């Protein structure tokens, strides 16, 4: 981040409270900045209600919704009203505190991760809540909290199918979070920082010029093997085909979300897509230069990149069949983990020669 750029909370504090906002002013500014970032991402999750159906229909040669307003866009408020107006039914054998907290934790963990994601700069203001020195560690820690939420939802439902879904979520996330973090560690080794802002800035350097066009040093170009590894592991992290076994309808009804309806189902459903966008944001930050891009403003490029990752996950959902849970674990431990360690070792050996 350049010296003349300020973070969003600092800008809000200066506008509302002047040059010396004090602790209370800084706290209020942080809350308002966080609310703005959350609103942006929740808006994307609302759009998904329409986009998911249209994209899946395009991949599978169908029409999808076209009767609810222009292009079917009115399905968004219609679905929101339909889902929120349903009766909330809680199973008799449910562990109520865990049953209530599970969906909240799934959504909260995704929104928490966006606190350290740079969404671009507008008029010298970086749309970013915080840029700590350990930002990469923070975002992975926040995202991993979703596993706890899914486990709570599966256990607390008092349903054997839900319990199996929760246990599958644990097995899957352990098997794939390790390759995910190891691949991210190779990027950290290459750039020499855990701070997200500096990591993005390091990718703005020119890599090579071809026919007068300069290709930036995005890590996807520098280390494409790590990029592919991360994309595959991210599919498992967000529960998309072929790694959606925790909620496999053909085997365990709907897994951890079987007993959820009304607002709790909305939270789980919304949390799932928020995690897809968070995964896309992490991919963009680590490998695609963050919000950087030519001509268009940074926030536009940021949204374009996370939606690009979303389209990739929807393609996988439409084109790649689900694998069995034993196959899923084998792919994670025997293929991706080995590949991630090999990539980390190779990167560590090459860093002295390329940095």
């Amino acid at each position: 981040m350049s010296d003349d750029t300020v973070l969003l909370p600092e800008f809000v504090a200066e506008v509302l409270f002047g040059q010396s906002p004090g602790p209370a002013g800084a706290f209020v500014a942080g809350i308002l900045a966080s609310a703005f970032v959350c609103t942006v991402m929740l808006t994307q999750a609302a759009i998904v209600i329409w986009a998911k159906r249209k994209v899946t229909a395009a991949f599978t040669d169908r029409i999808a919704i076209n009767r609810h307003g222009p292009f079917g866009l009115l399905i968004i408020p219609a679905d929101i009203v339909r889902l929120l107006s349903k009766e909330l039914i809680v199973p008799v054998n449910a562990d109520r505190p865990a049953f209530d907290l599970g969906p909240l934790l799934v959504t909260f963990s995704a929104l928490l991760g966006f606190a350290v994601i740079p969404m671009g700069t507008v008029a010298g203001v970086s749309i970013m809540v915080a840029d700590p020195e350990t930002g990469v560690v923070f975002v992975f820690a926040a995202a991993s909290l979703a596993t706890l939420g899914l486990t709570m939802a599966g256990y607390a439902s008092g349903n054997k199918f839900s319990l199996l879904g929760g246990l599958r979520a644990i097995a899957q996330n352990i098997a794939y979070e390790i390759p995910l973090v190891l691949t991210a560690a190779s990027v950290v080794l290459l750039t020499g920082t855990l701070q997200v802002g500096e990591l993005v800035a390091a990718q703005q350097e020119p890599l090579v010029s071809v026919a007068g066009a300069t290709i930036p040093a995005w890590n996807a170009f520098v280390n494409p093997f790590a990029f592919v590894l991360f994309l595959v592991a991210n599919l498992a992290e967000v529960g998309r085909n072929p790694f959606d076994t925790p909620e496999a309808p053909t085997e365990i009804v709907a897994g951890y979300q079987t007993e959820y309806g009304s607002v709790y189902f909305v939270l789980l459903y919304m949390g799932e897509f928020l995690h897809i966008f968070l995964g896309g944001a992490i991919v963009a930050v680590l490998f695609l230069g963050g919000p950087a891009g030519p001509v268009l403003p940074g926030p536009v490029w940021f949204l374009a990149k996370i939606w690009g990752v979303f389209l990739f996950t929807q393609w996988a959902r439409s084109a790649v069949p689900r694998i069995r849970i034993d196959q899923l674990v084998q792919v994670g431990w025997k293929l991706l983990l080995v590949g991630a360690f090999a990539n980390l070792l190779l990167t560590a050996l090459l860093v002295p020669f390329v940095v």
Side-chain angles (χ1 to χ4, degrees):
M1 185 182 301
S2 60
D3 294 336
D4 56 346
T5 302
V6 297
L7 295 177
L8 184 59
E10 298 172 359
F11 172 75
V12 173
E14 185 175 344
V15 169
L16 295 180
F17 306 105
Q19 296 292 335
S20 301
F27 176 77
V28 172
I31 294 295
L32 293 175
S34 301
F36 174 79
V37 170
C38 289
T39 301
V40 171
M41 299 320 303
L42 289 173
T43 302
Q44 309 307 307
I47 296 173
V48 160
I49 295 174
W50 170 82
K52 173 178 177 289
R53 297 171 180 175
K54 283 293 189 180
V55 170
T56 302
F59 280 131
T60 54
D61 196 22
R62 292 184 290 114
I63 297 175
I65 47 173
N66 62 354
R67 304 296 179 91
H68 300 77
F71 307 104
L73 284 170
L74 290 182
I75 196 66
I76 298 175
D79 267 355
I80 292 173
V81 172
R82 174 176 63 86
L83 290 169
L84 293 180
S85 62
K86 286 183 177 292
E87 180 183 2
L88 177 61
I89 300 174
V90 180
V92 175
N93 296 326
D95 184 337
R96 192 58 192 268
F99 187 84
D100 294 337
L101 289 174
L104 288 170
L105 190 56
V106 172
T107 301
F108 172 76
S109 63
L111 293 175
L112 182 64
F114 280 104
V116 297
I117 298 293
M119 300 184 180
T121 301
V122 178
V125 178
S126 176
I127 305 176
M128 187 180 188
V129 177
D131 190 17
E133 294 183 356
T134 56
V136 175
V137 176
F138 177 88
V139 71
F140 279 106
S144 67
L145 288 175
T147 305
L148 181 58
L150 299 183
T151 307
M152 293 168 65
Y155 152 76
S157 294
N159 179 305
K160 62 182 179 181
F161 299 113
S162 300
L163 179 60
L164 285 173
L167 293 175
R168 285 184 175 188
I170 296 173
Q172 176 169 315
N173 285 20
I174 290 176
Y176 286 86
E177 276 186 2
I178 298 175
L180 202 70
V181 171
L182 286 175
T183 308
S186 71
V187 173
V188 171
L189 274 178
L190 198 60
T191 54
T193 180
L194 285 168
Q195 191 168 353
V196 177
E198 292 185 3
L199 196 151
V200 170
Q203 297 179 70
Q204 309 314 311
E205 300 295 327
L207 179 63
V208 65
S209 295
V210 179
T214 301
I215 298 176
W218 291 1
N219 290 316
F221 301 140
V222 175
N223 192 348
F225 178 63
F227 180 55
V228 173
L229 274 176
F230 198 90
L231 279 180
V232 175
N234 183 62
L235 277 178
E237 183 72 7
V238 300
R240 281 294 153 191
N241 287 46
F243 308 112
D244 65 336
T245 55
E247 54 186 74
T250 56
E251 305 162 36
I252 52 175
V253 187
Y256 58 85
Q257 59 186 352
T258 299
E259 300 293 350
Y260 283 97
S262 188
V263 66
Y264 284 178
F265 175 78
V266 172
L267 287 171
L268 285 173
Y269 191 72
M270 181 171 61
E272 178 179 336
F273 286 103
L274 284 173
H275 274 279
I276 292 177
F277 286 130
L278 179 59
I282 297 172
V283 169
V285 164
L286 292 178
F287 293 98
L288 301 177
V295 183
L296 299 175
V300 176
W301 277 111
F302 171 77
L303 292 177
K305 289 172 183 178
I306 64 173
W307 275 94
V309 175
F310 168 77
L311 290 176
F312 172 71
T313 63
Q314 289 304 113
W315 167 83
R317 184 176 183 271
S318 302
V320 184
R322 181 186 303 122
I323 60 178
R324 300 192 312 263
I325 183 63
D326 60 308
Q327 295 171 328
L328 180 146
V329 174
Q330 285 185 15
V331 169
W333 288 110
K334 294 183 178 181
L335 293 179
L336 283 185
L337 183 62
V338 175
F341 269 118
N343 170 69
L344 183 63
L345 178 60
L346 183 61
T347 303
L349 292 174
L350 293 178
V351 162
F353 303 100
V354 297
V355 176

